[in-house]
């Protein structure tokens, strides 16, 4: 089993609140957000460091972190994505020269909506940035963000037109008091026509959205094989009416296309990186 906790096929798991209140301090405060985000980022990487230290008898967590960092740079993968894979995927057999000896490797799926070619087709950064532009073009706005499903939550990856407080506040989403979390749970597009009056948000989430200049929003799940691998959300300066069927159909196609690509990336590029970790660590013994 390769993919697991980083994909969402049901309700978001319970865990420490990320968009409510923490130890009596409003998470809307910059200091509390900074502490929360630092803790969650560290919590995503430290288990992978411990696994690598134990599996390959490394000198300590620092060597594990350096191996993750060098591999993430070599394969152009975010370090937290690589760490998630180390934790999530069963390790190689004892003494095995290869981690995935029977793996079939496939070419990247076509991305006709995004008009990408060459090396860009294999770059997650390029694909997500272009997909965000596509969604914003269809929804006729210039504010939006991309999140990926990792570690049982939605993690902010790309954004444009949104201020620092918004991006800090929604850096990690676990609770269901947000539009993107609701769309992930239901695995379908959701439009909030008026953020100020919508009952989907708690007070802190609503404030974080409104202060960024967003009065309406639309969330599009990035899906593959019935699972949510990510989310693209558009934000709008004025309350919205309903999106047209033409817009919804175009967005649905983009969500499915990018979802298929993310599935490929996690089964190909990420596994290539894990194979590199295995080979490098074995040679250090």
């Amino acid at each position: 089993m390769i993919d697991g906790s980083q994909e969402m096929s049901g309700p978001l798991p319970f865990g420490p609140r990320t968009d409510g209140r923490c130890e009596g301090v409003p998470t809307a405060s910059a200091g509390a957000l900074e502490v929360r985000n630092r803790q969650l980022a560290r919590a995503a990487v430290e288990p992978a460091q411990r696994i690598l230290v134990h599996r390959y008898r490394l000198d300590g967590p620092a060597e594990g972190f350096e191996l993750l960092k060098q591999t993430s740079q070599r394969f152009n993968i975010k370090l937290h994505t690589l760490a998630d894979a180390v934790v999530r995927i069963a390790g190689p057999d004892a003494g095995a020269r290869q981690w995935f000896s029977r793996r079939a490797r496939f070419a990247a799926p076509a991305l006709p909506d995004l008009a990408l070619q060459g090396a860009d087709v294999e770059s997650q950064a390029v694909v997500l940035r272009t997909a965000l532009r596509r969604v914003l073009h269809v929804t006729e706005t210039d504010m939006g963000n991309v999140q990926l499903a990792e570690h049982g939550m939605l993690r902010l990856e790309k954004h444009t037109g949104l201020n620092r407080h918004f991006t800090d506040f929604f850096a990690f989403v676990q609770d269901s008091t947000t539009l993107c979390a609701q769309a992930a749970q239901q695995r379908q597009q959701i439009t909030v026509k008026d953020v100020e009056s919508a009952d989907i948000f708690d007070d802190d989430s609503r404030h974080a959205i409104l202060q960024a200049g967003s009065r309406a929003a639309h969330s599009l799940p990035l899906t593959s094989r019935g699972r949510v691998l990510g989310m693209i959300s558009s934000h709008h300066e004025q309350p919205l009416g309903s999106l047209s069927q033409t817009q919804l159909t175009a967005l649905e196609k983009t969500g499915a296309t990018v979802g298929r690509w993310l599935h490929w990336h996690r089964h190909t590029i990420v596994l290539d990186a894990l194979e590199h970790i295995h080979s490098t660590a074995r040679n250090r013994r």
Side-chain angles (χ1 to χ4, degrees):
M1 187 70 175
I2 293 176
D3 282 304
S5 62
Q6 74 175 5
E7 298 175 343
M8 296 180 178
S9 57
L12 295 172
F14 291 104
R17 291 187 62 86
T18 59
D19 52 3
R21 301 190 178 273
C22 178
E23 298 179 358
V25 180
T27 59
S29 69
L33 287 173
E34 182 179 358
V35 170
R36 181 207 68 175
N37 291 344
R38 192 184 309 119
Q39 289 175 340
L40 287 172
R42 188 164 55 242
V45 175
E46 288 179 344
Q49 293 174 254
R50 292 194 293 269
I51 288 172
L52 295 178
V53 169
H54 175 75
R55 180 179 296 161
Y56 300 110
R57 301 175 186 174
L58 304 181
D59 290 338
E63 188 176 1
F65 182 84
E66 190 63 24
L67 183 56
L68 288 168
K69 184 177 75 171
Q70 291 176 0
T71 304
S72 72
Q73 293 171 346
R74 180 186 179 99
F75 289 86
N76 195 24
I77 298 172
K78 292 288 185 70
L79 193 146
H80 58 76
T81 297
L82 189 57
D84 175 72
V86 169
V87 173
R88 177 175 45 82
I89 297 173
D93 294 335
R97 294 180 61 83
Q98 289 184 300
W99 193 334
F100 308 103
S101 59
R102 300 176 182 177
R103 174 170 63 111
R105 201 177 190 283
F106 301 98
L111 295 166
D113 295 348
L114 307 187
L116 295 176
Q117 297 178 346
D120 286 347
V121 175
E122 295 192 356
S123 170
Q124 180 169 284
V126 173
V127 169
L128 294 183
R129 181 170 61 247
T130 308
L132 176 57
R133 289 174 181 164
R134 166 68 178 166
V135 168
L136 298 188
H137 173 73
V138 172
T139 57
E140 301 176 347
T141 184
D142 58 5
M143 293 188 292
N145 61 273
V146 182
Q147 298 158 296
L148 292 181
E150 290 182 1
H151 307 285
M153 65 184 111
L154 290 170
R155 179 168 185 152
L156 188 65
E157 286 292 317
K158 298 287 181 185
H159 59 86
T160 185
L162 300 165
N163 64 23
R164 175 68 180 272
H165 181 75
F166 181 102
T167 58
D168 283 350
F169 187 89
F170 292 107
F172 299 89
V173 173
Q174 282 178 296
D175 291 339
S176 60
T177 55
T178 63
L179 172 61
C180 55
Q182 290 282 336
Q185 287 182 351
Q186 298 179 32
R187 283 175 282 170
Q188 65 181 15
Q189 299 185 60
I190 297 180
T191 301
V192 168
K193 298 179 180 180
D194 190 339
V195 171
E196 193 161 13
S197 62
D199 60 7
I200 193 173
F201 305 110
D202 65 12
D203 289 342
D204 281 348
S205 299
R206 190 190 319 278
H207 171 74
I209 297 169
L210 290 173
Q211 65 79 41
S214 172
R215 295 297 179 269
H218 182 84
S219 283
L220 168 70
L222 308 176
T223 59
S224 177
R225 304 185 182 189
R227 294 181 179 272
V228 175
L229 280 68
M231 190 72 55
I232 301 181
S233 298
S234 62
H235 290 270
H236 305 258
E237 293 182 348
Q238 300 297 328
L240 278 177
S242 298
L243 295 181
S244 70
Q245 189 57 53
T246 298
Q247 288 174 302
L248 292 173
T249 299
L251 292 172
E252 190 74 20
K253 182 179 178 182
T254 297
T257 297
V258 178
R260 282 193 300 272
W261 186 92
L262 286 172
H263 179 86
W264 167 83
H265 185 264
R266 291 174 179 181
H267 285 75
T268 305
I269 304 301
V270 172
L271 298 193
D272 289 346
L274 292 182
E275 196 69 77
H276 176 77
I277 284 178
H278 182 58
S279 174
T280 301
R282 287 184 77 250
N283 291 336
R284 287 184 181 181
R285 292 180 181 177

